[in-house]
Amino acid sequence: MQLRYTFRIEPGPGQRMALGRAFGCARVVYNDAPRARETARRHGLPFPKTGDLSKLLITDAKHKPERAWLSEVSAVVLQQSLRDLDTAYKNFFDSLKGTRPRMGAPRFKSRRDNRQAVRFTANARWSLAPGGKLRLPKIGDFKVKWSRTLPSTPSTVTVVKDAAGRYFASFVAETYGSEVLLRKAQQDLSRKAKGSSNRKKKGLARTSLAKSVHDAGWSTFVTMLEYKAARHGRTFTRVDRFFPSSQLCSACGFKDGPKPLAVRERTCTGCGTIHDRDVNTARNIRTEGSKVAAGRAETQNACGG
């Protein structure tokens, strides 16, 4: 199973300029592709495929004076830009067929967009250099703020600049363990016809893989929440899994023990406050999370951080 791991990076002034060139070149190629296809349509020519566009807009264009600056960035970045456009078109046409939520046709990219990104695949020869730095072709080495260890060697890295001018490196890496069994089971399920008896018998969450299904889904959600928090400058805190969030009164802190899930409302025997179970639990988690975050900050300050 592949998951995405995102970390802050700190490019220097020269690297910011190099990334700006990469963002700009990828954007130009992305915008040139629909124009080339429209030109072919008007002249009654065959619909240009991605390989044709790559030769026309990247390989051949580099030898023209007006596009010579495309040589200043990795060709892989430009090719991935064309693949991103193909994915956008596929998603659009699938939405018209009703196989995915409705979405608009791909639009031209602008230098004023809130988010700029370029993707490097393995054949771009990017690497993790000694000292934990990220090395990108024609750009250089970046210091990465590692907050966790990658589970395996990443297959791709996407460099993102957000609306606040911050830079992130987003890695796609393979995870192993019970998730492998889950992926195989999901592949088997996808081959069964919708509405068939065989598909009904494969309800993953009701099989021996149920724990893997729920664990993988929750892990993915937490991972997404963590990197979204980092991207928007928010504090992400994990509360201990054994914290008795449903047993405490969020008003006075009195603990009156576990209750069956059927009990959706409680009256605190300490102060008499009436609570909705879920609301009370959420308040306790928020309070505990604030304490954990405050304790972490105090530890960092004590160490001179």
Side-chain angles (χ1 to χ4, degrees):
M1 181 179 181
Q2 290 187 327
L3 293 179
R4 186 172 293 278
Y5 300 82
T6 302
F7 309 91
R8 284 284 299 271
I9 58 175
E10 299 177 346
Q15 293 172 329
R16 290 172 185 263
M17 291 180 63
L19 282 173
R21 285 194 297 269
F23 294 145
C25 290
R27 182 174 62 247
V28 166
V29 170
Y30 185 97
N31 291 341
D32 281 347
R35 298 189 186 104
R37 284 173 169 164
E38 176 60 22
T39 299
R41 186 193 66 80
R42 285 202 310 267
H43 290 83
L45 299 175
F47 184 81
K49 297 181 179 179
T50 301
D52 302 324
L53 292 174
S54 179
K55 183 177 185 304
L56 174 67
L57 303 178
I58 301 174
T59 307
D60 294 345
K62 289 180 180 179
H63 300 292
K64 298 178 180 179
E66 65 271 20
R67 285 285 190 269
W69 37 264
L70 290 176
S71 300
E72 297 177 3
V73 304
S74 169
V76 172
V77 166
L78 307 181
Q79 293 162 357
Q80 291 302 311
S81 186
L82 292 178
R83 291 189 174 92
D84 288 342
L85 179 64
D86 276 353
T87 300
Y89 271 115
K90 182 181 182 302
N91 292 341
F92 169 61
F93 291 130
D94 285 347
S95 74
L96 295 180
K97 297 175 185 175
T99 57
R100 64 178 298 123
R102 192 64 182 265
M103 61 190 305
R107 64 175 182 84
F108 289 116
K109 290 187 176 182
S110 168
R111 68 180 64 187
R112 297 182 180 86
D113 287 345
N114 289 333
R115 183 180 184 273
Q116 303 283 344
V118 287
R119 186 167 67 256
F120 297 82
T121 55
N123 57 340
R125 297 184 180 179
W126 65 272
S127 63
L128 295 178
K133 291 187 176 181
L134 171 63
R135 178 169 296 167
L136 298 178
K138 298 190 177 184
I139 299 179
D141 294 359
F142 297 84
K143 182 180 178 181
V144 182
K145 294 185 177 180
W146 299 104
S147 57
R148 65 174 66 189
T149 302
L150 294 173
S152 61
T153 301
S155 57
T156 68
V157 58
T158 302
V159 179
V160 179
K161 179 184 178 183
D162 69 4
R166 298 171 298 184
Y167 293 82
F168 299 86
S170 182
F171 300 91
V172 173
E174 190 79 19
T175 60
Y176 300 96
S178 62
E179 290 87 355
V180 176
L181 298 177
L182 172 61
R183 181 176 60 183
K184 185 178 184 305
Q186 288 174 326
Q187 289 172 343
D188 292 341
L189 176 65
S190 67
R191 298 188 186 101
K192 295 176 172 58
K194 292 184 179 180
S196 68
S197 297
N198 282 337
R199 189 178 180 92
K200 291 178 181 178
K201 288 190 293 186
K202 195 57 184 178
L204 290 177
R206 293 190 294 273
T207 68
S208 60
L209 291 176
K211 184 178 183 299
S212 299
V213 173
H214 296 304
D215 285 350
W218 182 251
S219 174
T220 301
F221 169 73
V222 173
T223 299
M224 293 174 63
L225 185 62
E226 186 168 11
Y227 81 74
K228 291 287 187 183
R231 177 178 297 174
H232 295 285
R234 299 294 188 268
T235 300
F236 177 88
T237 305
R238 294 173 184 264
V239 173
D240 189 278
R241 61 180 296 187
F242 297 109
F243 173 65
S245 58
S246 64
Q247 302 176 28
L248 298 172
C249 172
S250 59
C252 70
F254 183 78
K255 180 179 178 181
D256 55 2
K259 302 165 192 60
L261 287 175
V263 177
R264 307 312 303 167
E265 190 176 86
R266 57 170 284 185
T267 301
C268 176
T269 55
C271 65
T273 303
I274 300 175
H275 295 287
D276 175 274
R277 182 188 183 114
D278 295 333
V279 173
N280 180 69
T281 298
R283 288 172 176 164
N284 286 329
I285 291 175
R286 181 181 61 184
T287 301
E288 180 67 11
S290 299
K291 291 179 180 178
V292 172
R296 182 190 304 160
E298 290 176 3
T299 301
Q300 291 174 340
N301 290 334
C303 296

